[in-house]
């Protein structure tokens, strides 16, 4: 059975796996035509996550590339994932990827902090109710 990773898990896996390839371009620009577009292997990423390769590709191509795209002018649009760039298949736009991963991590941290604060507040409220109930019960005795 395949796992369905979250957007953060999927994009963070791609980021961590291809970060060195992005940085390598500064040392050897002959490895690809563009620094910002990096070809990725959806099958490899899927295997690292225990996911279905077609679902990983579909999620990147049909969903995430539309969610994370920027229209800079009428003729210029930058998408997170492109099917083909300069003859290379399945390319991720690495600067957009880095921004998206950073934002998803910040959102996740904010969510966890809010959840922790809420659980703490519930514990304090239950404790206060228990103390009040004890005081009321013990004063009647």
């Amino acid at each position: 059975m395949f796992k369905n990773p979250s957007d953060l898990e999927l994009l963070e896996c791609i980021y961590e796996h291809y970060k060195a390839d992005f940085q390598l371009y500064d040392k050897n620009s002959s490895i690809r035509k563009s620094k910002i577009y990096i070809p990725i292997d959806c099958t490899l990423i899927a295997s690292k996550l225990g996911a279905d390769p077609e679902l990983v590709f579909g999620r990147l191509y049909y969903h995430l590339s539309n969610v994370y795209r920027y229209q800079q002018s009428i003729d210029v649009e930058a998408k997170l994932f492109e099917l083909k760039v300069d003859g290379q298949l399945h390319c991720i736009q690495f600067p957009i990827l880095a921004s998206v991963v950073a934002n998803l991590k910040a959102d996740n941290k904010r969510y966890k902090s809010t959840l922790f604060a809420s659980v703490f507040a519930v514990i304090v409220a239950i404790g206060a109710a228990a103390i009040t109930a004890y005081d009321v019960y013990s004063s009647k005795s």
Side-chain angles (χ1 to χ4, degrees), residues 14 17-18 38-47 53 56 89-90:
I14 294 169
H17 187 77
Y18 290 99
I38 298 178
I40 65 168
D41 183 350
C42 292
T43 305
L44 173 69
I45 296 300
S47 69
V56 167
L89 291 176
H90 305 169

Side-chain angles (χ1 to χ4, degrees):
M1 190 72 176
F2 288 119
K3 179 182 160 191
N4 189 16
S6 68
D7 291 348
L8 178 57
E9 290 172 320
L10 173 61
L11 297 176
E12 190 172 30
C13 181
I14 294 169
Y15 177 81
E16 291 301 326
H17 187 77
Y18 290 99
K19 180 173 44 174
D21 289 356
F22 177 71
Q23 295 167 341
L24 185 62
Y25 186 86
D26 291 332
K27 295 177 184 161
N28 182 6
S29 62
S30 67
I31 59 173
R32 60 183 179 275
K33 292 182 181 180
S34 170
K35 178 179 182 176
I36 62 171
Y37 285 102
I38 298 178
I40 65 168
D41 183 350
C42 292
T43 305
L44 173 69
I45 296 300
S47 69
K48 284 179 163 253
L49 295 170
D52 183 90
E54 285 80 20
L55 291 179
V56 167
F57 169 79
R59 195 146 155 213
L60 286 167
Y61 184 68
Y62 295 110
H63 177 64
L64 293 173
S65 68
N66 291 315
V67 171
Y68 301 109
R69 69 175 172 188
Y70 300 94
Q71 184 93 25
Q72 296 177 353
S73 67
I74 293 173
D75 298 335
V76 179
E77 182 179 64
K79 288 184 177 182
L80 173 68
F81 183 80
E82 295 284 353
L83 186 59
K84 191 173 186 180
V85 175
D86 293 329
Q88 295 180 310
L89 291 176
H90 305 169
C91 293
I92 201 90
Q93 217 267 27
F94 208 80
I96 293 176
L97 174 67
S99 296
V100 170
V101 168
N103 286 339
L104 289 174
K105 280 183 173 181
D107 289 346
N108 192 39
K109 184 177 180 182
R110 192 171 23 254
Y111 167 76
K112 286 181 179 178
S113 298
T114 303
L115 180 64
F116 175 75
S118 298
V119 168
F120 182 72
V122 167
I123 291 170
V124 168
I126 291 171
I131 291 171
T132 302
Y134 176 76
D135 286 346
V136 169
Y137 178 73
S138 64
S139 68
K140 289 184 179 182
S141 310

